[in-house]
Every structure is written in structure tokens, then in C-alpha cells.
Amino acid sequence: MSARTLPLLFLNLGGEMLYILDQRLRAQSIPGEKARKDEWTDVDRKRVMNDIITTMFNKKFMEELFKPQELYSKKALRTVYDRLAHASIMRLNQASMDKLYDLMTMAFKYQVLLCPRPKDILLVTFNHLDAIKDFICDSPGILNQVDETFRQLIETYSCLSAGEFQLIRQTLLIFFQDMHIRVSIFLKDKVQNSNGRFVLPISGPVPWGTEVPGLIRVFNHNGDEVKRTEFTTDGNYVTPQREGSFDLYGDRVLKLGTNMYSVSRPVETHMSGSSKNLASHAKENTVPNPLAKEEMNFLARLLGGLEVKTPGGSETGFRLNLFTTDEEEEHAALTRPEELSYKVVNIEATQEPGRRAELSRILGELEVAEPPPASSGKGEDLLALMDGL
């Protein structure tokens, strides 16, 4: 597995989260002069987006994220997104948070599958960051934070070989391989089957730097071409006109990673039948992982920099519903398979260095016991340990 995958996974999933939240907040916004105290306004939407993006691109947070390290469990990463989604006045209940995470993961999984070449995953990331910059174009301070992450990405990944990007892609696909959540947008566009698996196209542009298939060339031991054979293909392939820009500003050419919610349409997620039946088999490996203690310390460092904002004074937190109605949200919470649901973990982590060091020390001293047979592994153990802090 690649030790350079985590920043790309986090930033792309975070970008998809921001797309969804922006779309839902816009759909539920009420004009400021007409809104009641408990209703969303466009001012609230901008505040939520600014708060989440500010937290997401915190300098110390990014420094920890970009350190070479293995990917961690799905539940551990999910904990970070729970924390991130609640970094403002917005509040999501468990069903809406589940739906949000499903949409995030399936969208990015589809993008990874469609990348013409492994290096194009970096262009997908740049598309997400370009869109995030549009969200905070009126906030130069936050914009500088995002640009700094842009520079870190260019510095870290521009020198990697094609083989290293292929390893990153394989690491991402391993992470996503058991996720088969049906999403209405993909089902309506016929790019996803009813079992939650994606339909990959057999036509379109070939990867930059490659030729359209249809010709076999045979060379002798001296490297001279001695024979050519043409063949027909079922797909309609074309050569891309130019390569996407890997600079701070530029035309990415590739459209993967852009905001698919910019055109308003309802988005639903459904557990496929096969996913429900296989849910118990898709649990985390129950074999003790020697990286579990390091994972706890990693989360302690990350979560220590993520502050959940508590509404002060007379201000109340705004609840965001990712479903059409409250009844749908309640039904989803009741029917969600238990092993696929997560709960928000609130950790009292302040900016004080002493408190953060203490949290790291406590987590670092915890002995990782072998999970019982019925457990889904270190992810559940980790959440249980954090719940008790």
C-alpha cells in the first residue's frame, strides 16, 4: 500500500462533502428577511462553508495529514469527517451523516474507477480544490489556506513516478472495494447497476500519451518493426487534445471531481440487497493490527486540531436534513444495518498544547487487546476507547 494516499483520500472526500452540504444548504435556505430564527439563510450557508473549510485546511492539520503514513480504518476516517461536519453551527443526526458519507465515498470511488491513468487522480483532487476556492472566494484568508495546500500537493506529488501513482490508485480501490451503495444520480444516469456496482464505459478518450487501440506492431530482437496487424474494437476511442494542467491555476481538462450537484436534483442512497447480505462479511479484519496504537495517536493529533463549535448565548445550532422529509430521515435511521452505522464522537479537544499532549499520551499508553470474535475489529475498539475519554 502507498504511504502517500491519505491526503488525496481526505481532500477528495472532503470536497464531495462540501458539494453536498452546499447543495442541501442552498435548497433549504430562506431569504434573510423572511426566515425564522430556526431556519437557514444564505448567510448561515456561507458561515457553515467558511467554518468547515477553515477547519479542513488548518495548517497544523495539513502538516499531520501530509506525513507519509498508511491508510487507517474506515471507521477511524469516518470519525474525522463526523468531527469536520460539526465544525460549525450545523448539526446532522446519524441518519443524515450516514447518507452524507455514503454519497461522498461512492462519488469518489466512481471518479477513481474512471481515471484514464493513475496520475489523473491528482487532477481530480485539483478539481475539488478549485471548486472549494470558489466557495470561499470572498474570504482571502481562507483562500490562502487552500492555496497553501495546493502548493503542498504539487510539491509532494509532482515528482512521483507512474508506478507510484498506480500504487496510490490500487490503495484507494482496496479501501473502496466493499462499498456498493446505490445512489440515485448514478442509477438514473445508468452508470450504476441495481446491485450498487458501477458500469465502466468502453468508449471515450484514451489516457494522455497513449494511442487509440486498433493496431498491433511486432518487433524483432533488434527492435525493428517487422509486422503490423489492425483490428476493430467495440469502443469508440479518441485521443485527448491536451493534458490537464498540474499547476496552481490552469485548465484541468478532466471533468472528474467537479460538482455534479450544481444542477439541482434529488439524491438518494440505498443499500443494495447484496450489500445487506454481505454486510457481516465486510467487517474490519479481526486480527490484531500492530498499527492500532499509531492510529490512535494519529487521530489524537488530528482531532486535537478540529474544534466543534458550540453555539453560544442565545444562538442555536441549525439542523440540516439530507433527506426530503423528517419522516424519511427517521425511517433511514431505523432501517440502517447496525454494522454500517456510526455515531458522532464528541471529544473535548482544545487548542491548548498541554491538553493535546495529554490526549496523545493517554491514547499512546492504551494497550490494544485482541477484539472478540463478534467485533468488527480495531475500528470499533477505537471508537469505544474514544467514547470513554
Side-chain angles (χ1 to χ4, degrees), residues 28 94 330 349 370 381:
Q28 297 184 25
Q94 182 172 315
E330 292 170 2
E370 182 174 353
D381 292 341

Side-chain angles (χ1 to χ4, degrees), residues 44-57 84 87-90 136 142 307 309:
D44 295 322
R45 178 189 63 82
K46 290 181 179 179
R47 176 181 171 184
V48 167
M49 299 298 285
N50 285 358
D51 286 346
I52 293 177
I53 294 171
T54 298
T55 305
M56 181 176 170
F57 291 92
L84 189 60
S88 185
I89 58 174
M90 180 185 66
I136 40 93
I142 312 175
E307 181 183 359
K309 295 200 173 184

Side-chain angles (χ1 to χ4, degrees), residues 198-227:
F198 288 111
V199 179
L200 301 182
I202 58 170
S203 299
V206 297
W208 174 259
T210 62
E211 298 179 6
V212 172
L215 178 65
I216 300 173
R217 291 179 287 183
V218 180
F219 299 84
N220 62 20
H221 64 281
N222 293 322
D224 300 322
E225 184 179 327
V226 295
K227 183 181 178 182

Side-chain angles (χ1 to χ4, degrees), residues 126-145:
F126 286 175
N127 275 336
H128 279 114
L129 294 192
D130 286 339
I132 290 172
K133 289 169 67 174
D134 288 339
F135 288 143
I136 40 93
C137 58
D138 297 330
S139 304
I142 312 175
L143 201 57
N144 287 336
Q145 288 181 250

Side-chain angles (χ1 to χ4, degrees), residues 17-248:
M17 180 178 76
L18 290 168
Y19 290 165
I20 298 163
L21 292 179
D22 179 72
Q23 190 268 344
R24 294 305 299 161
L25 289 169
R26 288 180 185 274
Q28 297 184 25
S29 289
I30 304 294
E33 65 277 3
K34 297 180 181 179
R36 299 193 309 266
K37 191 174 182 179
D38 60 340
E39 292 180 322
W40 286 103
T41 66
D42 198 54
V43 173
D44 295 322
R45 178 189 63 82
K46 290 181 179 179
R47 176 181 171 184
V48 167
M49 299 298 285
N50 285 358
D51 286 346
I52 293 177
I53 294 171
T54 298
T55 305
M56 181 176 170
F57 291 92
N58 176 276
K59 184 178 180 181
K60 290 183 179 179
F61 183 84
M62 285 293 121
E63 287 174 356
E64 290 291 339
L65 195 71
F66 273 83
K67 291 178 180 177
Q69 54 199 299
E70 298 292 338
L71 279 189
Y72 294 92
S73 69
K74 295 178 179 66
K75 286 193 175 182
L77 286 174
R78 164 62 188 268
T79 302
V80 176
Y81 287 106
D82 282 340
R83 189 78 175 172
L84 189 60
H86 292 85
S88 185
I89 58 174
M90 180 185 66
R91 294 293 174 263
L92 297 170
N93 70 15
Q94 182 172 315
S96 284
M97 189 67 214
D98 283 342
K99 180 177 180 179
L100 174 62
Y101 194 69
D102 286 345
L103 291 171
M104 291 160 51
T105 52
M106 294 308 291
F108 185 44
K109 177 181 179 179
Y110 185 55
Q111 293 157 15
V112 174
L113 288 170
L114 285 189
C115 273
R117 54 179 182 166
K119 187 179 180 180
D120 289 335
I121 292 173
L122 192 55
L123 290 178
V124 175
T125 310
F126 286 175
N127 275 336
H128 279 114
L129 294 192
D130 286 339
I132 290 172
K133 289 169 67 174
D134 288 339
F135 288 143
I136 40 93
C137 58
D138 297 330
S139 304
I142 312 175
L143 201 57
N144 287 336
Q145 288 181 250
V146 181
D147 280 341
E148 182 57 34
T149 300
F150 243 122
R151 296 184 185 96
Q152 282 183 276
L153 282 169
I154 294 170
E155 180 182 346
T156 303
Y157 294 96
S158 61
C159 59
L160 297 188
S161 66
E164 289 172 306
F165 274 109
Q166 174 62 12
L167 187 58
I168 289 173
R169 183 175 185 272
Q170 289 177 337
T171 304
L172 288 170
L173 291 177
I174 290 171
F175 180 84
F176 289 124
Q177 66 180 347
D178 295 322
M179 298 182 180
H180 306 296
I181 310 298
R182 293 181 296 160
V183 178
S184 63
I185 285 181
F186 296 139
L187 293 170
K188 290 173 183 176
D189 292 344
K190 300 188 184 302
V191 298
Q192 191 179 31
N193 290 325
S194 58
N195 62 4
R197 297 182 183 273
F198 288 111
V199 179
L200 301 182
I202 58 170
S203 299
V206 297
W208 174 259
T210 62
E211 298 179 6
V212 172
L215 178 65
I216 300 173
R217 291 179 287 183
V218 180
F219 299 84
N220 62 20
H221 64 281
N222 293 322
D224 300 322
E225 184 179 327
V226 295
K227 183 181 178 182
R228 286 192 172 200
T229 304
E230 294 186 356
F231 65 93
T232 57
T233 62
D234 293 332
N236 181 23
Y237 300 101
V238 295
T239 304
Q241 297 298 313
R242 61 189 184 281
E243 184 181 23
S245 171
F246 289 91
D247 297 327
L248 184 61

